[in-house]
Amino acid sequence: MEKKIKTLTIGVVVFSLLAVFTSCKKNSEYYNYETTANEFKGTALQYLQAQTNTFDSLLLVLDRLPDLKDSLNNQNVTVFAPTNTSFQAAIKNLNIERKAQGKSPLYLSDCNVEQLDTLTTRYILRGIKNTSDYSSYTEGLLLSSLKSGYVMHVQYNKINASGFVEGGPQSIIYSDPKNNIFTKYWQRSNTNAVNIKAKNAVINILAPLHDFGFDEFIKRVNL
């Protein structure tokens, strides 16, 4: 009887170790997949165009900004791409404000093109960088936007997963510091996806809750 108990105990231990090993292996494969499979065989602009019903608003704005649009095909850049939802929120809030002021509604095709250029360039940074370039900077990193040199802030964030400290997916907190050293005045946004590699860029996708313009859209276009 004692021998059977010992055999059973050993069997349970071996099974547990195998389960842990298998689980770790699966997690390892999952995170390797996450960091290596996000590759697109085209330019940053072609990637945005290929994502049906995701970046239509951004592409509409870029059609009005040919220089910026061209940079997504021909320059090395890092993109923090706002989705349609981000623009919809900005336009909705703008027109609530305009209605209260007795003004007619505005849409992306109508907004002042210079103001759109000022805001949109903040989502495109010079050079190609991925999360490995930010991860060692615990306080984040200040980087220049493409055209104006306006400074944005990028901070690496590793999300905790069940049973693993910082074992979850990678994320970036992307912020507009507003030229202010005090972080309480910054406008921040999280990412939903990072490290999508294109021929000339790394693309990160901002969370849908991000409001295009980092809280400046209404005051800039409500002329």
Side-chain angles (χ1 to χ4, degrees):
M1 183 66 179
E2 184 179 351
K3 183 177 181 182
K4 287 183 178 180
I5 292 173
K6 287 182 178 179
T7 302
L8 180 61
T9 302
I10 292 171
V12 170
V13 172
V14 170
F15 177 79
S16 299
L17 289 172
L18 285 172
V20 170
F21 174 77
T22 303
S23 174
C24 290
K25 185 178 180 182
K26 284 182 179 178
N27 277 312
S28 175
E29 288 172 350
Y30 173 76
Y31 292 117
N32 284 338
Y33 174 83
E34 180 187 44
T35 57
T36 61
N38 293 333
E39 297 185 8
F40 180 77
K41 295 181 180 179
T43 66
L45 180 63
Q46 290 168 339
Y47 172 82
L48 297 175
Q49 293 169 334
Q51 311 311 305
T52 307
N53 300 323
T54 304
F55 300 110
D56 307 75
S57 297
L58 177 57
L59 290 167
L60 174 61
V61 170
L62 289 170
D63 282 339
R64 301 191 63 200
L65 306 171
D67 289 345
L68 206 55
K69 182 177 181 179
D70 181 73
S71 70
L72 295 181
N73 263 337
N74 298 305
Q75 295 192 45
N76 292 335
V77 292
T78 301
V79 181
F80 287 84
T83 64
N84 291 339
T85 308
S86 296
F87 288 93
Q88 289 164 2
I91 289 293
K92 178 181 178 180
N93 292 332
L94 168 66
N95 286 323
I96 289 173
E97 179 75 13
R98 288 181 67 82
K99 183 177 181 179
Q101 296 172 350
K103 298 178 180 178
S104 58
L106 277 179
Y107 300 97
L108 293 175
S109 57
D110 309 317
C111 292
N112 182 283
V113 70
E114 292 181 359
Q115 298 297 342
L116 283 180
D117 184 65
T118 297
L119 294 175
T120 307
T121 192
R122 296 181 188 181
Y123 295 88
I124 306 173
L125 303 179
R126 297 172 180 170
I128 298 175
K129 293 184 181 296
N130 59 37
T131 50
S132 64
D133 296 302
Y134 317 131
S135 57
S136 61
Y137 294 87
T138 56
E139 299 299 321
L141 192 62
L142 292 170
L143 296 171
S144 296
S145 58
L146 182 64
K147 288 177 62 178
S148 64
Y150 185 88
V151 174
M152 300 293 288
H153 186 267
V154 181
Q155 187 166 13
Y156 176 79
N157 182 35
K158 188 86 169 183
I159 301 171
N160 293 340
S162 179
F164 296 89
V165 176
E166 295 189 349
Q170 299 179 93
S171 178
I172 296 171
I173 301 171
Y174 190 56
S175 303
D176 184 347
K178 307 294 182 183
N179 292 315
N180 199 310
I181 62 172
F182 299 106
T183 58
K184 66 179 181 179
Y185 297 114
W186 295 11
Q187 290 293 322
R188 303 176 183 275
S189 181
N190 291 313
T191 55
N192 264 13
V194 298
N195 293 347
I196 300 167
K197 298 176 183 177
K199 288 170 63 176
N200 66 321
V202 165
I203 302 159
N204 309 288
I205 301 175
L206 294 176
L209 290 177
H210 171 69
D211 196 343
F212 174 75
F214 292 94
D215 202 34
E216 289 186 27
F217 181 72
I218 293 177
K219 68 181 180 182
R220 283 185 172 274
V221 304
N222 189 27
L223 305 175

